[in-house]
Amino acid sequence: MAITEEKPESTLREDVVNASLEKVLARHGRVDLAPLPSDLSEDPLNWSSFRKNMLLALVAFHACLGPFSAACVIPSFEDFVVDFGITLTEASYLVSVPIVFLGTIPLLWAPVSKRIGRRPVYLVSMLLSSALQLASAYCTTYGTLMACRVLVSVFICPPQSIGASTVSEVFFVHQKGQKMGIWALLVSVGSTIAPLIMGPLVYHTGQWQWTFYFLAIINFAHFVLYIFFCPETLFDRPERSKIGSLEITMDEEINAGKWYTPYTSFRIHSTDPWIRLPLDVISPLQFLLKPTILLPGLAYAITFTYTNARQKYLLNTQQVGLQFVAPFLGALLGEPIAGYGSDRWMQYRVRKAGGEREPEWRLPFAIPGFLIAIVGLMIFGVQLQNTRAGVWNVTPDVGSGIALFGLQLVTTVCTTYAIESQPGHTGQAALMVAFIRQMYAFTGPFYFTLQFDSMGTVNACGLLSGLIAIGMCFVIICMIFGRYWRKGEEVTNDSGDRESAIAGILSDEKTNARLCHGSIEFI
């Protein structure tokens, strides 16, 4: 007896109309979106691609300026020794001490921005950072310069905590890997492009003060761009169940504001009392107990710290800066593969699983990154040991470039996984990943020199490569046990089944069947 397949009783268009998703379909060409946007024009998810990507570029570059500002003085160490009468080790503290504040102070900015919004925090951050960078150029003692460096780190670090949250507030889940990868790329390359730019600048001007003049100009220009291209991304998205008819949706849109409202309005976004701010500052630390954040965070931190290990061998300030060309190019080439590639990999796994989605499926894409980083680090160590001091040799730089290429795969995948594993706490997850990285990287300068001197370059790089392999094991453990940990934490994965984003509205089984097999494109 032939079995006839039951046909849906309604058309795709009728299902969309019944679910009040006409505007979503008209704006985005699809309705299988997570999170599901509202019908309001000022909803960040409904902004134009130019508006979203311009904001992403500004926030990502702002995130880059944190590690950039920390590493910008590396080519000037010997100048500080002469001008301030300090040792080379003391000069290195002008880098390592700001790293601590770049890792800890974002804990403060996250709850502050939750109360007053992202835009005011970004604007204040850039304006005060510009003023403090200018003040750094006029410091005449080691102590005053250190104080200015610390204050710069305090005010320039907000995107280390709220940058990932901004990305999540503007882009959909299926775009998150690529967009988060851009943010992660600029965070990674900040410490490499700073000496690359500042080395020739200090060499040709003969003044370390130009490091801070340059940064003051850049920060102020960024502040001006924020005024015009950084709208508020915190948005109280109404529940779809409350927008049951076109009349209610139109009333909400009329009362909500105009397209320029996110640029001009200022309001308190959270009713949390300010007296709770100290508790809110330390509360994200509890996420360090979650293995789905701690293990990928450590894996990323270990790889980040050891692929950025450098040794100077009798080079002038310009030559020191030029040593960072290869790492920059390696990271730049790695990011398109890391972001776009991991998203495509996830799309393949989702299609293969019939629409089901698990964050752990992204992690295998990081394994080649660890292996490439280890290969690059060993090439760097072997070739550096065979290089005569004071004689430039490109082969160690090739190893650095390969290592940074691998690092970018690790960075994007581990960061995105930690965020996806905590869909209800994306800001806290990103903050803890950055916190782990900064705290781990802070320790490096205290033992790198001793380690390389006592063990030799090859043996030291071999040890660091072994530690990177341990970081790879952390990711493999998450691949195996991550799903069970998340279930035990009772965390709802809102980046799971993509149809679940509209299941509450399209609860009718036949309607869901029509949407899944209709003409809407699934990515």
Side-chain angles (χ1 to χ4, degrees):
M1 182 173 116
I3 298 176
T4 58
E5 181 179 354
E6 182 181 356
K7 296 182 180 179
E9 298 178 356
S10 59
T11 65
L12 176 64
R13 179 63 60 181
E14 289 172 340
D15 291 335
V16 170
V17 171
N18 291 336
S20 301
L21 295 176
E22 309 98 301
K23 290 189 176 182
V24 175
L25 181 61
R27 280 192 174 104
H28 304 285
R30 54 189 290 184
V31 295
D32 60 317
L33 297 168
L36 192 64
S38 68
D39 290 339
L40 306 179
S41 59
E42 67 270 20
D43 187 338
L45 294 174
N46 290 330
W47 293 347
S48 66
S49 295
F50 171 80
R51 197 177 184 185
K52 291 182 177 183
N53 289 316
M54 187 65 183
L55 176 61
L56 171 64
L58 289 174
V59 172
F61 187 72
H62 189 171
C64 171
L65 288 175
F68 186 101
S69 296
C72 68
V73 298
I74 291 177
S76 303
F77 279 174
E78 292 184 354
D79 293 332
F80 295 144
V81 170
V82 174
D83 289 358
F84 299 142
I86 57 177
T87 65
L88 197 59
T89 300
E90 290 174 324
S92 69
Y93 295 158
L94 291 169
V95 175
S96 56
V97 172
I99 287 176
V100 176
F101 288 88
L102 287 174
T104 56
I105 299 301
L107 293 168
L108 170 66
W109 288 116
V112 169
S113 72
K114 179 183 177 182
R115 287 167 167 80
I116 67 174
R118 316 295 191 202
R119 177 176 167 85
V121 170
Y122 285 140
L123 289 171
V124 170
S125 169
M126 279 289 93
L127 184 61
L128 293 182
S129 295
S130 177
L132 289 165
Q133 297 286 17
L134 185 61
S136 299
Y138 292 94
C139 292
T140 57
T141 65
Y142 176 73
T144 55
L145 181 59
M146 178 66 78
C148 285
R149 298 275 292 156
V150 167
L151 290 174
V152 167
S153 299
V154 167
F155 288 105
I156 208 168
C157 69
Q160 308 298 322
S161 60
I162 64 176
S165 299
T166 302
V167 174
S168 297
E169 289 157 2
V170 171
F171 294 99
F172 298 105
V173 166
H174 71 273
Q175 303 170 312
K176 189 173 292 184
Q178 182 183 25
K179 304 305 181 180
M180 199 68 70
I182 295 173
W183 174 78
L185 169 66
L186 290 181
V187 173
S188 297
V189 302
S191 58
T192 61
I193 61 176
L196 174 61
I197 295 174
M198 296 307 178
L201 178 65
V202 173
Y203 179 77
H204 288 288
T205 61
Q207 294 180 322
W208 58 262
Q209 287 85 352
W210 267 102
T211 297
F212 302 108
Y213 293 146
F214 178 82
L215 285 172
I217 295 171
I218 293 296
N219 289 359
F220 186 76
H222 203 106
F223 167 75
V224 174
L225 289 174
Y226 264 154
I227 293 176
F228 297 102
F229 298 107
C230 180
E232 180 57 61
T233 60
L234 278 183
F235 179 73
D236 298 326
R237 188 169 294 110
E239 296 289 339
R240 274 282 165 181
S241 58
K242 297 178 182 178
I243 312 179
S245 67
L246 180 62
E247 180 180 357
I248 296 176
T249 301
M250 291 179 63
D251 289 342
E252 287 185 349
E253 187 161 7
I254 292 173
N255 295 329
K258 304 299 183 181
W259 66 268
Y260 52 79
T261 300
Y263 294 92
T264 57
S265 64
F266 173 80
R267 66 183 181 87
I268 300 298
H269 292 264
S270 173
T271 57
D272 294 344
W274 285 95
I275 196 172
R276 285 188 52 193
L277 183 61
L279 181 62
D280 291 340
V281 169
I282 63 174
S283 63
L285 294 176
Q286 66 182 307
F287 286 87
L288 291 176
L289 302 177
K290 297 182 182 293
T292 52
I293 293 179
L294 178 62
L295 293 183
L298 279 174
Y300 166 38
I302 291 170
T303 311
F304 173 84
T305 302
Y306 297 146
T307 53
N308 281 283
R310 299 284 183 273
Q311 256 202 332
K312 178 185 175 183
Y313 42 104
L314 303 180
L315 302 176
N316 62 40
T317 55
Q318 178 170 259
Q319 292 168 332
V320 169
L322 293 176
Q323 295 300 299
F324 290 83
V325 171
F328 171 69
L329 292 177
L332 198 63
L333 294 173
E335 178 46 42
I337 297 176
Y340 179 77
S342 67
D343 276 346
R344 297 297 294 180
W345 167 255
M346 284 294 288
Q347 291 157 19
Y348 164 75
R349 292 296 304 269
V350 169
R351 285 196 301 269
K352 189 176 179 180
E356 184 181 356
R357 185 187 184 107
E358 298 287 347
E360 286 74 25
W361 293 346
R362 190 183 295 272
L363 291 176
F365 207 80
I367 302 302
F370 288 105
L371 299 176
I372 293 171
I374 290 172
V375 170
L377 184 57
M378 289 308 302
I379 292 174
F380 170 78
V382 171
Q383 295 305 117
L384 184 62
Q385 184 161 295
N386 296 331
T387 300
R388 290 191 298 114
V391 178
W392 183 77
N393 188 330
V394 71
T395 52
D397 294 337
V398 172
S400 294
I402 295 173
L404 266 290
F405 182 95
L407 169 65
Q408 205 52 47
L409 269 67
V410 173
T411 300
T412 299
V413 174
C414 288
T415 303
T416 305
Y417 168 73
I419 291 171
E420 288 183 335
S421 69
Q422 305 292 326
H425 306 280
T426 57
Q428 291 90 332
L431 178 58
M432 286 300 98
V433 171
F435 177 82
I436 294 169
R437 181 197 67 225
Q438 294 300 110
M439 291 299 97
Y440 196 94
F442 165 71
T443 64
F446 291 98
Y447 60 82
F448 278 155
T449 301
L450 179 62
Q451 181 183 29
F452 276 81
D453 291 343
S454 61
M455 297 181 63
T457 304
V458 174
N459 291 335
C461 288
L463 175 60
L464 300 182
S465 296
L467 294 174
I468 292 175
I470 293 176
M472 180 175 67
C473 293
F474 292 159
V475 168
I476 295 174
I477 292 172
C478 286
M479 291 166 54
I480 299 172
F481 299 106
R483 181 178 182 182
Y484 301 101
W485 288 331
R486 289 187 294 106
K487 298 292 184 182
E489 296 165 359
E490 298 182 351
V491 174
T492 301
N493 184 12
D494 68 354
S495 64
D497 185 350
R498 292 172 299 167
E499 293 171 15
S500 66
I502 55 176
I505 311 157
L506 308 176
S507 56
D508 182 78
E509 187 174 331
K510 294 180 180 179
T511 300
N512 279 324
R514 168 60 69 179
L515 286 173
C516 291
H517 297 90
S519 61
I520 297 178
E521 178 187 4
F522 281 75
I523 295 181

